[in-house]
Amino acid sequence: MHCRTKQRWLLALLASLGVAAHAETELPAVTVTATKQPQTLGSVAASVSAFAGEDLAAAGIDNLEGVARMTPGFTFQAQGQSGLQPPVMRGLTANIISFSSSVAMVVDGVPTLRAQGFDDNLLGVERVEVLRGPQSTLYGRNAEAGVVNIVTRKPDNDPYAVVSAEVGSRDKHALRFDASHPLLKDTLYLGVAGEFVEQDGFIDNAFKGRKDDDRERRNGRFTLRWTPGERTDAALRYAERAYRDGASLWGSASSPQRAVVRSGTDGFNDSTARTLSLDVVHELASGMRLRSITANNDYTDRLVQDTDFLPADLLHVARDHHFRTLSQEFRLEGQWGEARWLAGFYADRDDHDLRFEQKTPLALTTTQAVQKGDSTALFTHWTVPLAERWSVTAGARIERSEARFTLNGGREESLDSTRFSPKLALQYQWQPEAMIYASVADGFRAGGFNAFSPETSRRYEPERVRSFELGAKGSLLERRLRYGTSLYLMDVSSMQVQQMALPGQVFITNAASARSIGAEAELQYLLGAGWRVQAALGFNRTRFREFTDGAGNHEGKHNPFAPDITGHLGLRYDAPQGWYAQAAVSGVGKVYLDAANRYRQPGYGLVDLAAGYPLGRAELSAYVHNAANKKYDAVGFLNGQATVYSPPREIGLRLTYRL
């Protein structure tokens, strides 16, 4: 069928639904950098979702969980603790006790490779990109399932300021600002952004007569940008995110009353993330581009949590972890004929202090450990035209890692590994606005040590993934409709899985293998007359091919925390007068909370609403999150011991002023 025939057919279908389409409107071009080189969204031979910071702010989305709801195949494990968000992508999950992740989060080139600190409040953000499929070729360890790439707004010659105040359910108060101004025109610029949010909890402590889970968050970013000439661009950035929360969103799995506890132990989460980085880009006379990113990423995880939810202090856990990573990356990129290439060097050093406390009726046990590590890597990435419509993307990375571990000041243990991570993609531009691609890529998750387990199960090896993907993407209807689809298969070997030898004695081993099969689709469509539709749908089937532990044989069972389906449908109307209204429905299928599939979180759908009205330079907006007040508690968390409660409906008003 010819392209014009297809377009006429689609226009006829839309007309039959009573939808008007205007040829003069089109979706704006989107440039993404998750591949470490600027590319249009439609030219990347991989599954990528991109979200503009302004669109996220208009929808009232200020965290990565909101981004995940709009992205096919991407969710988070229910934890009920701020700052601790294990990501789930394409059926691959992360065990928080392993201090690693299946997905990397990168903010302005600085990586976070653990679930601890895998969070961002999207303050001053220009764009969020979600790149799915193994990305170890470019990002190394712990990017075996994908990357979340966050790009913040750069200050420049144009003064900029946005201030917003917000009130909402459960006595929520929030103040946010984002501002920048040139200090010296064309040379020196300053950007600052900040946020303060506090909100009462919803879990009743019947013993103490109060809410147990109040939330408070402080967040700030600082950027000093220097452009001494046309060829050089340097940015010094500092970001801090602090949580000063009450107890986790936990309760007893056997409680007859929802969201009611009788805890005598005061729970709290006092965690802080700090990042300092220097990002320098210089264009050489030859046309090549050199980039250096030096960063110190620091996260303190301090928490106390009751686990029996009774007045007597019989069972509780406490953490006081300090994660420090110093990293350096150099990248050189350019063109060789019609080919685009990139080559780089990466090195980092980890220095983690770990302190874990567990209270039982018999004893109070405290364990202290030190985990250090070094890694170095060389990588390259090429995009080479083969013919008029054909091109190939190829990349490779070799990474050497060493980890060292000491428990309670005892004997030091070490673990070395060297991984080679290739990627190959073939792309065919079958029409000017449409292409198909096929790719194969390897990814891996780092090995490590079980900090709080028996000595016989101290170490575990890297987890390996090989992925095959077939996809199509493009634009239709004179660029009013943008789509992307993909099919994938991933084989996981030496799979890192959680086992429990004795009650309270949890550790990671390479005791399983699995296969993940799935399909994803997403589209954006300008219906015309101010209407816009955004949709995403993901199917995934991740099952153990082999896995046996003390609880039995888990062959064929679901990988914990991995849903079989995710979906999103959003509709927005922008009126000529400047006001807007939007509604979105997002859904996630049921997930199991353990390898034996005994405990689960049910599937659920959430309805979110938002509207805004302009008042000169100001805007008054309202939002409703979880409008149907859907309850989707994770019952049976911690091997059947606890329930992670889902938050209730939230209603809010926001006043925003822009210069």
Side-chain angles (χ1 to χ4, degrees):
M1 186 181 293
H2 296 295
C3 179
R4 290 184 179 178
T5 304
K6 291 181 180 178
Q7 291 185 7
R8 291 189 187 118
W9 184 85
L10 285 170
L11 285 169
L13 174 62
L14 293 171
S16 70
L17 296 173
V19 177
H22 295 276
E24 68 274 13
T25 58
E26 64 179 38
L27 289 166
V30 177
T31 299
V32 295
T33 56
T35 58
K36 297 194 175 183
Q37 288 180 297
Q39 288 182 265
T40 61
L41 184 64
S43 67
V44 181
S47 298
V48 189
S49 301
F51 307 95
E54 290 184 356
D55 293 342
L56 295 173
I61 295 172
D62 62 357
N63 55 50
L64 291 180
E65 188 173 356
V67 172
R69 287 176 185 166
M70 298 187 293
T71 307
F74 181 30
T75 59
F76 286 98
Q77 299 179 25
Q79 297 292 318
Q81 299 172 11
S82 299
L84 180 63
Q85 290 198 124
V88 181
M89 192 171 287
R90 292 190 167 181
L92 298 187
T93 60
N95 295 289
I96 60 172
I97 64 172
S98 68
F99 307 125
S100 64
S101 174
S102 57
V103 178
M105 181 183 75
V106 180
V107 182
D108 292 322
V110 180
T112 294
L113 305 174
R114 303 173 306 274
Q116 292 82 0
F118 198 110
D119 194 12
D120 194 276
N121 303 121
L122 308 183
L123 183 64
V125 163
E126 176 184 308
R127 188 175 66 255
V128 179
E129 305 164 3
V130 182
L131 181 57
R132 299 180 295 282
Q135 304 303 323
S136 291
T137 298
L138 286 172
Y139 292 94
R141 69 188 190 278
N142 302 347
E144 64 171 352
V147 168
V148 177
N149 186 49
I150 299 172
V151 181
T152 63
R153 192 180 56 81
K154 282 185 177 182
D156 54 26
N157 278 325
D158 297 324
Y160 176 90
V162 176
V163 180
S164 68
E166 180 181 328
V167 295
S169 304
R170 307 198 313 274
D171 199 26
K172 180 179 182 179
H173 295 84
L175 178 66
R176 297 180 178 90
F177 66 90
D178 180 15
S180 64
H181 199 278
L183 301 178
L184 188 60
K185 188 177 180 180
D186 297 327
T187 304
L188 193 63
Y189 325 87
L190 175 66
V192 293
E195 173 192 59
F196 176 80
V197 183
E198 62 179 7
Q199 186 174 32
D200 292 344
F202 65 91
I203 299 176
D204 289 312
N205 189 328
F207 177 68
K208 294 198 171 184
R210 69 183 189 196
K211 300 295 183 184
D212 232 25
D213 58 316
D214 293 350
R215 291 292 184 261
E216 182 179 315
R217 184 177 76 215
R218 300 195 299 269
N219 183 24
R221 296 190 195 274
F222 167 91
T223 303
L224 185 63
R225 183 185 178 201
W226 181 46
T227 55
E230 294 183 356
R231 295 181 179 274
T232 304
D233 191 335
L236 178 67
R237 297 185 177 97
Y238 176 76
E240 181 171 320
R241 187 174 63 252
Y243 304 100
R244 300 295 180 261
D245 296 348
S248 304
L249 307 184
W250 291 8
S252 172
S254 59
S255 174
Q257 294 177 289
R258 183 184 183 274
V260 176
V261 298
R262 296 183 54 81
S263 293
T265 303
D266 289 331
F268 68 83
N269 177 7
D270 188 0
S271 301
T272 305
R274 298 182 180 92
T275 302
L276 177 65
S277 68
L278 178 62
D279 185 354
V280 181
V281 179
H282 181 70
E283 200 169 303
L284 304 176
S286 61
M288 291 188 295
R289 192 166 176 257
L290 176 65
R291 185 173 184 182
S292 168
I293 303 174
T294 308
N296 185 65
N297 201 348
D298 187 289
Y299 188 75
T300 302
D301 177 23
R302 296 185 64 243
L303 176 139
V304 171
Q305 177 59 46
D306 191 10
T307 54
D308 60 10
F309 313 103
L310 297 174
D313 185 12
L314 300 178
L315 297 171
H316 78 247
V317 294
R319 300 193 303 264
D320 189 357
H321 298 338
H322 190 186
F323 302 95
R324 295 176 291 267
T325 301
L326 179 65
S327 63
Q328 173 65 59
E329 180 169 286
F330 294 107
R331 298 204 303 264
L332 186 66
E333 61 183 274
Q335 283 195 259
W336 187 23
E338 295 184 358
R340 295 183 62 193
W341 60 270
L342 176 149
F345 168 81
Y346 174 84
D348 67 23
R349 171 167 293 179
D350 291 332
D351 187 0
H352 306 330
D353 294 323
L354 311 172
R355 184 180 182 275
F356 181 76
E357 178 181 287
Q358 184 171 32
K359 176 69 169 63
T360 68
L362 300 178
L364 177 66
T365 304
T366 300
T367 306
Q368 291 182 292
V370 174
Q371 185 164 316
K372 300 178 183 290
D374 300 277
S375 72
T376 55
L378 294 172
F379 59 92
T380 187
H381 191 263
W382 291 71
T383 301
V384 183
L386 299 178
E388 182 180 356
R389 297 187 179 186
W390 292 89
S391 62
V392 64
T393 299
R397 184 188 189 102
I398 185 165
E399 182 164 333
R400 171 73 177 173
S401 299
E402 179 186 7
R404 301 175 299 281
F405 177 81
T406 303
L407 180 65
N408 293 327
R411 177 175 59 88
E412 182 179 271
E413 302 180 54
S414 63
L415 174 66
D416 300 334
S417 66
T418 301
R419 303 301 311 167
F420 177 69
S421 303
K423 179 175 183 177
L424 181 67
L426 184 64
Q427 176 179 328
Y428 177 59
Q429 197 79 28
W430 66 283
Q431 287 190 357
E433 298 289 339
M435 67 97 139
I436 58 175
Y437 66 89
S439 68
V440 57
D442 284 2
F444 76 101
R445 189 187 315 185
F449 297 91
N450 291 299
F452 315 111
S453 71
E455 187 173 356
T456 54
S457 305
R458 183 74 70 216
R459 53 188 280 171
Y460 52 91
E461 301 296 324
E463 176 178 291
R464 302 188 299 275
V465 172
R466 175 158 291 174
S467 172
F468 303 89
E469 182 171 337
L470 179 65
K473 57 175 60 178
S475 298
L476 289 171
L477 302 177
E478 297 171 328
R479 298 182 180 176
R480 295 193 307 278
L481 186 149
R482 180 185 296 134
Y483 66 90
T485 61
S486 62
L487 301 170
Y488 62 87
L489 181 150
M490 299 193 297
D491 282 323
V492 190
S493 57
S494 298
M495 192 174 186
Q496 296 173 9
V497 289
Q498 181 174 295
Q499 299 202 40
M500 182 178 291
L502 298 170
Q505 198 175 81
V506 181
F507 56 96
I508 302 296
T509 65
N510 303 95
S513 64
R515 172 164 288 177
S516 174
I517 302 173
E520 296 166 350
E522 56 185 334
L523 67 83
Q524 296 180 38
Y525 183 43
L526 291 178
L527 297 174
W531 291 92
R532 177 188 300 232
V533 171
Q534 183 172 4
L537 186 62
F539 295 97
N540 175 268
R541 186 182 188 277
T542 302
R543 303 292 187 268
F544 292 120
R545 300 176 72 178
E546 56 179 2
F547 179 19
T548 303
D549 65 7
N553 187 344
H554 307 310
E555 180 182 348
K557 293 186 177 178
H558 296 246
N559 191 25
F561 298 104
D564 283 355
I565 185 171
T566 59
H568 172 83
L569 178 62
L571 180 65
R572 178 182 172 107
Y573 175 69
D574 288 280
Q577 299 84 358
W579 62 269
Y580 71 87
Q582 61 186 37
V585 179
S586 56
V588 177
K590 69 180 177 182
V591 298
Y592 292 96
L593 308 179
D594 65 320
N597 293 179
R598 292 169 296 179
Y599 310 106
R600 69 177 187 175
Q601 180 181 29
Y604 61 90
L606 300 179
V607 178
D608 296 317
L609 307 172
Y613 189 83
L615 301 168
R617 290 183 177 270
E619 178 185 272
L620 181 64
S621 57
Y623 64 85
V624 184
H625 296 325
N626 189 10
N629 202 25
K630 179 68 176 180
K631 298 176 177 63
Y632 48 101
D633 304 339
V635 182
F637 191 63
L638 297 180
N639 203 34
Q641 185 176 354
T643 293
V644 180
Y645 295 120
S646 59
R649 175 174 48 225
E650 183 178 322
I651 302 173
L653 287 173
R654 183 186 302 111
L655 181 63
T656 303
Y657 182 81
R658 295 179 175 86
L659 288 181

